[in-house]
């Protein structure tokens, strides 16, 4: 994809390189910037019509999933919307659809590929739609962490619990070591299950979101903050002593969400001062002190359900991604809905999926071209599926519409 500057006179246009350092110099940030074929211009007034026409032409051939953090312009074309848990289950709900367009982020599309049939192709409209939290744990670091646990003599007592927001390779690690995947809507059940697996003295290695792990252990299971240690993958032995690893019940990976990590206790207290009788609802990826001070905590689906069930006139301050908070304001105009942090913006990677990428994806399929297919290596998929199936078999796990 190249960009050019159009000038008013007849001089030749000057190409503007998208990769200013040159191609191939920063492979991680370059992921996904190439878009084979013509990406429609965002200013094209016919985009909505083009998306409608392409989706209609594909009919049952395509199944579009949309996470709650997607833009409204994308959500409009989703056949199903949901939180990570619901979308993981729904991905397999249309076995007859050969194409699943996943409007979300990379780890969600990988999980969908693992959970769907061999004849189905999962597509992520923009390959640069990653997740900064998932990127905070690389499989090599996790393997080294496990070696440290072996060295400290605690690996035999430890069960990995891995948040959905992680690479397929780390999910496979979890499957190989007898652990489970969890999402924000079933973390309590997953953690309870994991802590029972090894009997007294059992531990959990919680990857990669330290906040979800701590919040669930302390708030939902009544564990103590002293029972948690944070393993820093950039330090020898995680920056911990053997004794600390032996004494801990929860070994929390040092990862966090760059969006939810910014909601602060100060902003929450200010909201309480300024809005009488306000109810505060936040996502469990927020810091412990924020979650502690909130009235309600839950996954994106639970946030929607809780606000939907509240009486007219309820005042809410919501601590989660801004696309969803804005949509809540539109969906529930009889309630007063505010955003918790004035400086926090959207999840930049979720926002990568926009109408031009969706139109390009759908029109490519109409033309018989599959773009941006997400394919997980067979061996990785086999063990990741063990961990995902373990999650899906946990008792009472539902995520309702
Ligand atoms: P949910 O599972 O609650 O939708 O959360 C996914 C996520 O990425 C939150 O940042
Ligand atoms: Fe990842 Fe945070 Fe974005 Fe969720 S909101 S996809 S955890 S960066």
């Amino acid at each position: 994809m190249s960009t050019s500057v159009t000038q008013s006179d007849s001089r030749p246009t000057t190409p503007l390189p998208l990769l200013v350092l040159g191609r191939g110099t920063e492979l991680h940030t370059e992921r996904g910037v190439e878009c084979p074929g013509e990406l429609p211009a965002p200013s094209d007034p016919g985009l909505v019509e083009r998306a409608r026409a392409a989706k209609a032409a594909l009919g049952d051939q395509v199944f579009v999933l949309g996470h709650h953090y997607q833009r409204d312009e994308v959500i409009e074309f989703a056949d199903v919307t949901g939180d990570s848990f619901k979308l993981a289950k729904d991905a397999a709900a249309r076995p007859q659809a050969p194409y699943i367009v996943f409007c979300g982020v990379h780890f969600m599309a990988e999980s969908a590929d693992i959970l769907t049939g061999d004849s189905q192709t999962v597509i992520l409209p923009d390959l640069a739609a990653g997740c900064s939290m998932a990127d905070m744990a690389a499989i090599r670091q996790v393997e080294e962490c496990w070696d440290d646990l072996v060295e400290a003599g605690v690996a035999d007592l430890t069960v990995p619990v891995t948040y959905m927001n992680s690479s397929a390779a780390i999910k496979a690690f979890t499957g190989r070591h007898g652990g489970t995947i969890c999402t924000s809507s079933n973390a309590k059940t997953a953690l309870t299950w994991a802590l029972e697996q090894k009997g007294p003295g059992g531990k959990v290695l919680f990857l990669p979101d330290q906040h979800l792990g701590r919040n669930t252990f302390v708030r939902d299971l009544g564990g103590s903050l002293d029972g948690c240690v944070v393993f820093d993958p950039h330090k020898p032995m995680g920056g911990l002593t053997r004794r600390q690893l032996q004494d801990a019940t929860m070994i929390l990976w040092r990862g966090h969400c760059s969006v939810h990590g910014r909601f602060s206790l100060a902003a929450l207290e200010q909201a309480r001062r300024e809005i009488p009788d306000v109810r505060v609802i936040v996502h469990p990826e927020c810091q412990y002190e924020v979650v502690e001070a909130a009235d309600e905590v839950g996954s994106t689906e639970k946030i929607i359900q809780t606000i939907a069930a509240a009486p007219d006139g309820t005042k809410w301050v919501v601590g989660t991604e801004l696309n969803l908070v804005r949509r809540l304001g539109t969906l529930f105009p009889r309630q007063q809905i505010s955003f918790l942090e004035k400086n926090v913006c959207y999840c930049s990677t979720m926002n990568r999926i926009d109408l031009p990428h969706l139109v390009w994806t759908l029109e490519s399929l109409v033309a018989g071209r599959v773009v941006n297919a997400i394919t997980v290596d067979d061996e990785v998929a086999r063990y990741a599926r063990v961990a995902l199936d373990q999650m899906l078999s946990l008792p009472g796990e539902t995520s309702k519409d």
Side-chain angles (χ1 to χ4, degrees):
M1 187 168 57
S2 74
T3 312
S4 61
V5 175
T6 309
Q7 301 182 24
S8 52
D9 60 26
S10 57
R11 281 178 295 166
T13 58
T14 312
L16 268 182
L18 267 181
L19 304 170
V20 285
L21 299 177
R23 202 174 300 275
T25 48
E26 243 200 322
L27 292 177
H28 188 66
T29 53
E30 285 172 37
R31 183 179 66 181
V33 294
E34 286 300 327
C35 185
E38 269 312 296
L39 194 66
S43 57
D44 180 343
L47 281 181
V48 171
E49 206 29 65
R50 283 173 66 175
R52 266 191 207 131
K55 191 146 184 270
L58 290 163
D60 291 344
Q61 300 280 294
V62 72
F63 183 41
V64 181
L65 298 166
H67 185 264
H68 291 310
Y69 291 164
Q70 291 291 293
R71 300 160 180 258
D72 285 349
E73 69 195 37
V74 170
I75 286 291
E76 189 183 333
F77 292 98
D79 295 306
V80 179
T81 59
D83 62 9
S84 313
F85 183 73
K86 182 165 179 282
L87 294 179
K89 293 210 324 183
D90 284 350
R94 293 271 179 93
Q96 72 285 5
Y99 304 115
I100 292 161
V101 174
F102 209 115
C103 299
V105 287
H106 195 267
F107 70 80
M108 296 178 180
E110 276 191 334
S111 300
D113 180 53
I114 293 163
L115 292 167
T116 50
D118 290 346
S119 62
Q120 295 183 289
T121 304
V122 177
I123 294 168
L124 183 65
D126 186 337
L127 292 181
C131 164
S132 57
M133 176 201 288
D135 288 347
M136 287 178 198
I139 183 60
R140 182 188 48 77
Q141 295 173 317
V142 174
E143 299 279 10
E144 285 170 7
C145 166
W146 194 259
D147 290 345
D148 288 341
L149 301 192
V150 172
E151 160 74 24
V154 298
D156 286 346
L157 285 170
T158 305
V159 173
V161 176
T162 297
Y163 191 24
M164 186 67 103
N165 301 30
S166 57
S167 69
I170 294 175
K171 291 187 177 79
F173 164 91
T174 308
R176 279 199 307 274
H177 290 279
T180 189
I181 307 303
C182 75
T183 73
S184 56
S185 61
N186 65 12
K188 180 180 174 188
T189 316
L191 204 51
T192 304
W193 173 86
L195 287 168
E196 283 166 358
Q197 295 311 298
K198 303 284 181 179
K203 301 174 190 300
V204 160
L205 170 62
F206 196 93
L207 301 151
D209 184 13
Q210 59 167 299
H211 299 303
L212 179 65
R214 185 182 294 109
N215 289 333
T216 309
F217 180 64
V218 178
R219 285 180 41 88
D220 296 340
L221 299 191
S224 83
L225 283 173
D226 291 343
C228 304
V229 290
V230 177
F231 187 99
D232 183 344
H234 300 289
K235 292 187 176 159
M237 199 94 164
L240 299 165
T241 61
R242 284 169 67 98
R243 187 61 201 259
Q244 283 174 310
L245 284 169
Q246 286 162 358
D247 288 349
T249 305
M250 288 290 285
I251 302 166
L252 305 168
W253 191 261
R254 192 166 191 266
H256 68 275
C257 165
S258 47
V259 177
H260 290 88
R262 292 171 67 186
F263 293 112
S264 67
L265 181 59
L268 189 154
E269 286 171 343
Q270 186 183 348
R272 287 211 192 276
R273 278 195 304 274
E274 291 178 7
I275 313 174
D277 303 324
V278 74
R279 313 256 326 138
V280 179
I281 186 164
V282 301
H283 195 278
E285 287 176 11
C286 291
Q287 301 173 65
Y288 176 72
E289 59 183 12
V290 174
V291 167
E292 268 290 284
D295 300 300
E296 306 266 0
V297 184
S299 75
T300 53
E301 194 77 20
K302 182 176 169 193
I303 290 172
I304 297 170
Q305 289 171 11
T306 305
I307 293 180
D312 287 357
T314 309
K315 297 175 211 160
W316 292 102
V317 165
V318 187
T320 195
E321 203 268 350
L322 191 48
N323 273 314
L324 174 55
V325 181
R326 289 182 54 174
R327 191 171 309 119
L328 288 167
T330 313
L331 288 173
F332 305 107
R334 296 215 180 92
Q335 302 189 38
Q336 181 188 313
I337 294 172
S338 321
F339 190 50
L340 175 54
E341 177 71 55
K342 54 182 173 297
N343 295 320
V344 175
C345 58
Y346 302 93
C347 169
S348 57
T349 46
M350 282 279 181
N351 249 6
R352 300 274 321 191
I353 314 288
D354 56 9
L355 204 44
H357 281 87
L358 184 61
V359 168
W360 169 68
T361 303
L362 295 173
E363 288 184 348
S364 298
L365 287 177
V366 173
R369 276 193 323 270
V370 177
V371 293
N372 289 1
I374 300 295
T375 312
V376 178
D377 169 85
D378 284 349
E379 187 67 2
V380 170
R382 188 154 74 93
Y383 284 103
R385 171 121 206 184
V386 170
L388 282 162
D389 283 345
Q390 170 53 51
M391 173 184 84
L392 294 170
S393 73
L394 288 169
E397 288 318 329
T398 51
S399 180
K400 303 168 206 78
D401 284 291

